[in-house]
């Protein structure tokens, strides 16, 4: 391996997003539920996350194409969030890590 290859990790850009506060949990919750509205997602956090923080995290995840944001509803505006295939891949990796850590007695 050449020196520059040792200095970089191809996962760093991904981990810099996923490892931020609340982000992995958002991906985990959306992965366990097919599609959630903003309020439903916030309730899954027992309101421990502020609406502003959740909105900001979701905006990043949509921009990075891990989550889709779909608007609908005729009278009342409904916005649904769900994982993209890339987000679902991250969810599977998180589930695998959780299982491995449980088997190792780490959690």
């Amino acid at each position: 391996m050449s020196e520059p290859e040792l200095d970089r990790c191809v996962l760093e850009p991904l981990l810099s997003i996923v490892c931020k506060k609340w982000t992995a949990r958002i991906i985990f919750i959306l992965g366990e539920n097919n599609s959630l509205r903003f309020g439903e997602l916030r309730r899954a956090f027992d309101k421990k996350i502020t609406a502003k923080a959740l909105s900001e995290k979701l905006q990043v995840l949509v921009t990075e194409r891990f989550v889709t944001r779909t608007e609908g509803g005729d009278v009342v505006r409904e916005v649904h969030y769900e994982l993209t295939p890339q987000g679902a891949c991250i969810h599977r990796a998180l589930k695998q890590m959780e299982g491995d850590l449980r088997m190792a007695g780490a959690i």
Side-chain angles (χ1 to χ4, degrees), residues 29 35-45 54 79-80:
I29 291 168
S35 174
L36 291 176
R37 293 179 65 185
F38 184 88
E40 294 170 326
L41 183 54
R42 185 154 183 244
R43 278 190 293 280
F45 279 90
L54 179 57
V79 179
H80 292 265

Side-chain angles (χ1 to χ4, degrees), residues 63-74:
T63 300
E64 295 296 332
R65 298 190 193 118
F66 298 130
V67 171
T68 58
R69 179 184 189 273
T70 307
E71 291 188 38
D74 294 330

Side-chain angles (χ1 to χ4, degrees), residues 88-99:
C89 182
I90 295 168
H91 176 254
R92 285 190 302 275
L94 292 172
K95 289 285 285 184
Q96 181 67 47
M97 269 196 306
E98 177 191 34

Side-chain angles (χ1 to χ4, degrees), residues 22-69:
W22 305 118
T23 305
R25 190 163 177 192
I26 291 169
I27 292 170
F28 199 85
I29 291 168
L30 286 175
E32 298 297 303
N33 303 274
N34 292 324
S35 174
L36 291 176
R37 293 179 65 185
F38 184 88
E40 294 170 326
L41 183 54
R42 185 154 183 244
R43 278 190 293 280
F45 279 90
D46 296 324
K47 296 191 179 179
K48 292 177 182 164
I49 186 172
T50 65
K52 181 182 179 206
L54 179 57
S55 180
E56 289 171 355
K57 297 298 179 184
L58 285 168
Q59 189 174 24
V60 169
L61 290 170
V62 168
T63 300
E64 295 296 332
R65 298 190 193 118
F66 298 130
V67 171
T68 58
R69 179 184 189 273

